[in-house]
Amino acid sequence: MDFDAIVVGGGHAGIEAAMALCKLGYSTMMITQNLDTIGKMSCNPAIGGMAKGNMVREIDALGGWMGKLIDATMIQFRILNRRKGPAVQSPRAQADKIKYQLYAKQVLEKEPRLRLFMDTVVDFIHEEVAPKDGIRSSKRITGVITERGHQICAKAVVLTTGTFLNGRIFVGEHSASSGRLGEPAALGLDQGLRKLGFSLGRMKTGTPARIHRDSIDFSRVEEQWGDSEVVPFSFDASPLRQEQVACYITYTNPSTHQIIKNNMHRSPLYSGKIEGIGPRYCPSIEDKVVKFPTRDRHQIFIEPEGADTKEMYLNGVSSSLPEDVQTSFIHTLAGLEEAVIMRPGYAVEYDFMDPSQLYPNLETKLLSGLFVAGQTNGTSGYEEAAAQGLVAGLNAGRYLAGEPAFLLTRAEAYIGVMIDDLVTLGTKEPYRMFTSRAEHRISLRHDSADLRLFERAREIGMHDDAAWKNFLQKKEGMLSIKDSLAQRRLSEADVAGKELKINVDEIFPKDKAYGKTFWQLLKSPLVDLETLRSLDPQCFGDFPLDWYRQVELDVKYEGYVVRQEQQIVRFNRMEHMRVPADFDYQGITGLSNEAREKFLKITPLSIGQAGRIPGVRNADLALLMVAVARRPGQEALDRSLSEDFLQASKTFEEVTIGSDDGDL
């Protein structure tokens, strides 16, 4: 069996990688251990959240599938952080997890260029090649070997093993070789990776217990409904009208914490059985009790796993304690005193690859044609995995076509921030995306993802003519709205005898409001576009509501955006100064040994990436810039570029200090 490409794994990363390769025209095989678990949500039954929802919309703008899958299967929708600034607002949806994975499988099965195959990949086939075209690797992948002895040939392979690579689960004293509870681990492939020279480590993640809905006392928990207006994740979708279900909230208490403390010696996390590092930003309840001893309670969300199941997910009490302990502490929670546990919480430990062994296109440095995505790279979360899978699939297609890599910068997308963090900094713990990781987050709003990325995706073949036509209509419509705002001026006749939500004289000094453009009026935090449209409905045309809202945010945050765009220009100049993958760092006179070692390990593909490597001094970077500029074909290095670098470095340090609680 020969294919253009092979995708190993059928999780969220594998789905996006396979569909991207097929959309680009390549025959692709997806090899997964169980066809019935394609797209399975191993942990929480939700898509989106802080920064994660932004990435889902970016995936959609790039031609991916996660947004469409959740739009078709959501059972509750919310915009998080509505009371904060737009840069930290994100969409999140509860999913019917069974319908989600069934729909994902149907999408894959209907793709004519894709073949699904149930087996386990245990090794790679490769050949020796002479390094060329700036690539240092002397090996090139040519296929895979499966557990049942199949040798399947392909010129590109995308590896997305999730938590299954040498995975082991823990429930108290019990442990077993598994990638998910009741599902076998992927064994053998770790040996093949080590044999090729890859560095692997161990990481840990976990999931909470699921309980039976009928065993909950709903009179003792808080009800939480979603937003009445459902905003689609996909830019192709019309307004959604799904019937929504409620989630619920309860809290731990001192009794809960005492039971956990009394049994900490039985936790594999604290007894030494688990060696892997767990996620900092999604800790187990054991970690919360130990690391936050002064907290007398922690919030727990009770979330339905679907419309046709009684299983309820306890978001916030991930645990690997023994089952009897889990039962005891869950019964201390208000409303869950009689809770019936259907599945216990557990921890899973698995092998991951140090992501600094990858180029920014997610191709490995040691084996040409092998791309890696998802939790195999040390990330956590469905959204992070899907985003990497899409980029890996796109670049596997570019590799097959002999085209330049498709790279996203930190200024273009949260996806670009994530990948740059991974390949430049590596990770010692499961990586999770946050808005505070993005220095340009005011420009990376979830509603603007299509305007940032759609055209780039169109250029490489990820959008058809119909989608392109719709996108152009939106751009033209938004320009029309903005033109109306800039041209229309407020007169006394506009407000005479009308009851408005605003008092113009209170917003602007008396007699100075009239004559101002609607654009100027909209700058005030007390004025919204809905009010201005009510003064002259015909002036602004008849467009979808989300277009007006996007324009309103563009106008209100214009000043912030302009300043950020000036920073982006500086950063982009550094990103566009390319460093060949085979660059001779040994030949740079005066370079510190520390910088030389780090450049050789990370292999930065731009001066900008080199400057973000921890411990690299400005003096070392200046030497690298001079050496790169002297290569034939490079533009002359001038003083202004050096000054831009120094300013960009200072700006980067300033804007990355913060948290997701900021209004920007």
Side-chain angles (χ1 to χ4, degrees):
M1 294 184 287
D2 291 349
F3 293 85
D4 294 324
I6 292 171
V7 174
V8 181
H12 304 282
I15 290 168
E16 298 293 350
M19 292 302 291
L21 279 159
C22 291
K23 186 173 283 190
L24 294 177
Y26 296 103
S27 63
T28 304
M29 170 177 275
M30 174 186 281
I31 305 175
T32 184
Q33 293 192 127
N34 189 344
L35 294 177
D36 296 329
T37 57
I38 286 174
K40 185 172 183 177
M41 293 181 167
S42 305
C43 200
N44 63 309
I47 294 293
M50 297 308 305
K52 293 170 175 281
N54 300 57
M55 284 199 295
V56 177
R57 303 213 84 196
E58 290 174 355
I59 289 168
D60 189 78
L62 290 169
W65 271 89
M66 179 169 268
K68 298 177 178 63
L69 296 176
I70 185 59
D71 281 349
T73 59
M74 70 168 67
I75 54 178
Q76 191 195 86
F77 176 85
R78 296 176 65 209
I79 292 288
L80 304 185
N81 274 355
R82 279 195 181 274
R83 289 178 292 180
K84 295 182 181 290
V88 294
Q89 293 178 4
S90 292
R92 183 183 188 271
Q94 294 294 136
D96 187 314
K97 64 189 302 181
I98 300 300
K99 291 180 181 177
Y100 186 99
Q101 69 184 74
L102 288 174
Y103 184 37
K105 187 183 180 187
Q106 290 171 6
V107 168
L108 296 178
E109 289 175 337
K110 290 177 181 178
E111 171 51 55
R113 295 188 180 92
L114 180 65
R115 178 172 173 183
L116 303 179
F117 189 61
M118 186 167 164
D119 205 342
T120 301
V121 172
V122 295
D123 207 350
F124 300 111
I125 309 170
H126 60 86
E127 62 184 7
E128 300 292 323
V129 294
K132 63 179 181 178
D133 299 330
I135 302 299
R136 297 189 304 162
S137 176
S138 61
K139 297 182 178 65
R140 179 170 60 202
I141 199 161
T142 57
V144 300
I145 300 172
T146 73
E147 187 177 61
R148 299 201 302 271
H150 294 287
Q151 294 192 20
I152 306 171
C153 296
K155 296 177 182 178
V157 173
V158 182
L159 185 63
T160 68
T161 53
T163 61
F164 284 77
L165 189 59
N166 207 18
R168 176 164 289 273
I169 65 164
F170 297 84
V171 186
E173 292 85 1
H174 170 77
S175 69
S177 176
S178 295
R180 262 191 304 252
L181 187 64
E183 299 178 39
L187 304 176
L189 189 57
D190 59 308
Q191 299 174 25
L193 289 167
R194 288 189 172 93
K195 185 171 59 179
L196 287 165
F198 288 104
S199 174
L200 302 183
R202 295 287 278 177
M203 279 193 178
K204 168 260 176 188
T205 189
T207 190
R210 276 69 160 177
I211 63 174
H212 198 290
R213 181 184 183 91
D214 293 346
S215 65
I216 300 172
D217 181 354
F218 289 102
S219 68
R220 291 176 51 77
V221 296
E222 301 173 22
E223 199 172 52
Q224 183 189 57
W225 286 93
D227 297 345
S228 57
E229 179 189 353
V230 179
V231 180
F233 279 86
S234 176
F235 291 97
D236 293 337
S238 302
L240 302 177
R241 297 287 185 268
Q242 282 99 324
E243 182 177 348
Q244 299 194 55
V245 301
C247 294
Y248 305 89
I249 298 173
T250 188
Y251 299 87
T252 64
N253 54 63
S255 297
T256 315
H257 301 170
Q258 192 59 53
I259 291 173
I260 293 168
K261 290 175 184 177
N262 292 345
N263 290 276
M264 201 67 75
H265 63 284
R266 300 179 65 191
S267 167
L269 183 63
Y270 284 91
S271 65
K273 290 184 179 180
I274 295 178
E275 300 175 1
I277 301 172
R280 177 191 301 263
Y281 301 106
C282 188
S284 66
I285 189 62
E286 297 98 293
D287 268 337
K288 291 179 183 178
V289 169
V290 170
K291 295 178 179 178
F292 306 101
T294 60
R295 293 279 296 273
D296 59 359
R297 71 175 193 171
H298 296 281
Q299 192 174 54
I300 310 301
F301 292 94
I302 307 171
E303 302 170 341
E305 296 223 319
D308 300 316
T309 178
K310 294 285 188 177
E311 286 192 76
M312 303 290 280
Y313 177 90
L314 299 182
N315 190 342
V317 286
S318 173
S319 178
S320 58
L321 284 163
E323 292 181 61
D324 62 301
V325 180
Q326 291 187 43
T327 300
S328 294
F329 78 67
I330 287 172
H331 284 173
T332 67
L333 307 179
L336 306 188
E337 292 87 353
E338 303 295 329
V340 174
I341 295 178
M342 300 177 71
R343 305 187 198 213
Y346 63 91
V348 57
E349 189 180 44
Y350 54 95
D351 284 349
F352 82 103
M353 283 180 51
D354 180 352
S356 66
Q357 298 170 104
L358 306 175
Y359 293 113
N361 66 345
L362 298 183
E363 183 183 16
T364 66
K365 298 171 183 176
L366 296 178
L367 185 59
S368 296
L370 175 63
F371 297 78
V372 186
Q375 287 184 272
T376 316
N377 283 340
T379 59
S380 67
Y382 312 138
E383 303 83 1
E384 287 89 344
Q388 292 174 73
L390 177 59
V391 172
L394 289 175
N395 279 303
R398 304 287 285 176
Y399 170 85
L400 290 169
E403 298 288 345
F406 178 83
L407 305 178
L408 294 170
T409 70
R410 301 180 70 90
E412 286 180 291
Y414 277 101
I415 298 174
V417 174
M418 173 182 63
I419 292 175
D420 182 66
D421 282 349
L422 291 171
V423 303
T424 304
L425 308 177
T427 186
K428 301 298 183 184
E429 61 190 26
Y431 178 97
R432 177 180 175 181
M433 191 70 240
F434 284 108
T435 56
S436 57
R437 296 189 191 274
E439 50 277 44
H440 306 300
R441 59 185 179 271
I442 193 67
S443 300
L444 303 182
R445 304 193 321 255
H446 70 86
D447 62 306
S448 67
D450 58 339
L451 298 181
R452 288 183 274 118
L453 302 173
F454 196 98
E455 291 185 58
R456 289 207 60 195
R458 164 74 172 178
E459 289 172 359
I460 62 172
M462 290 297 290
H463 290 299
D464 59 22
D465 291 341
W468 178 243
K469 180 180 178 181
N470 291 337
F471 172 72
L472 291 180
Q473 287 178 343
K474 178 178 179 179
K475 284 189 67 175
E476 292 168 0
M478 290 180 61
L479 286 174
S480 174
I481 298 169
K482 289 181 178 180
D483 184 61
S484 297
L485 285 170
Q487 299 298 324
R488 182 69 162 80
R489 294 182 181 274
L490 184 69
S491 68
E492 292 188 49
D494 288 326
V495 297
K498 295 181 181 178
E499 292 187 8
L500 302 176
K501 292 192 301 182
I502 61 172
N503 186 321
V504 176
D505 291 333
E506 289 181 0
I507 298 171
F508 298 99
K510 193 170 181 63
D511 299 329
K512 291 189 177 181
Y514 303 117
K516 286 186 177 294
T517 65
F518 279 19
W519 185 291
Q520 292 170 314
L521 294 170
L522 191 55
K523 290 283 188 180
S524 169
L526 301 176
V527 179
D528 58 41
L529 186 50
E530 180 183 352
T531 299
L532 297 179
R533 287 176 61 202
S534 70
L535 298 178
D536 190 353
Q538 294 182 343
C539 176
F540 294 97
D542 184 18
F543 300 111
L545 185 59
D546 60 302
W547 297 11
Y548 294 107
R549 289 176 175 167
Q550 192 168 342
V551 167
E552 181 171 355
L553 291 176
D554 287 347
V555 174
K556 287 189 177 297
Y557 288 86
E558 182 184 28
Y560 292 105
V561 172
V562 168
R563 288 198 296 273
Q564 200 158 88
E565 285 177 348
Q566 293 170 350
Q567 298 169 5
I568 290 171
V569 169
R570 297 190 185 103
F571 276 100
N572 282 345
R573 293 190 69 186
M574 309 307 297
E575 298 303 322
H576 293 156
M577 191 171 185
R578 313 304 295 173
V579 180
D582 61 348
F583 191 78
D584 180 18
Y585 296 102
Q586 303 290 356
I588 303 179
T589 304
L591 195 65
S592 71
N593 289 333
E594 180 183 9
R596 199 185 314 274
E597 290 174 5
K598 289 181 175 179
F599 288 155
L600 286 169
K601 177 185 177 182
I602 302 299
T603 321
L605 295 187
S606 70
I607 294 296
Q609 186 187 2
R612 292 189 292 274
I613 299 174
V616 171
R617 303 173 303 180
N618 286 346
D620 291 319
L621 196 63
L623 289 171
L624 176 61
M625 293 167 69
V626 171
V628 170
R630 287 175 177 170
R631 287 175 58 90
Q634 290 280 354
E635 296 181 0
L637 181 66
D638 58 27
R639 186 183 304 274
S640 65
L641 186 54
S642 299
E643 293 174 350
D644 278 347
F645 165 69
L646 294 173
Q647 179 60 41
S649 298
K650 180 180 178 183
T651 302
F652 180 85
E653 293 172 359
E654 291 174 351
V655 300
T656 51
I657 298 173
S659 72
D660 284 336
D661 293 330
D663 281 344
L664 291 184

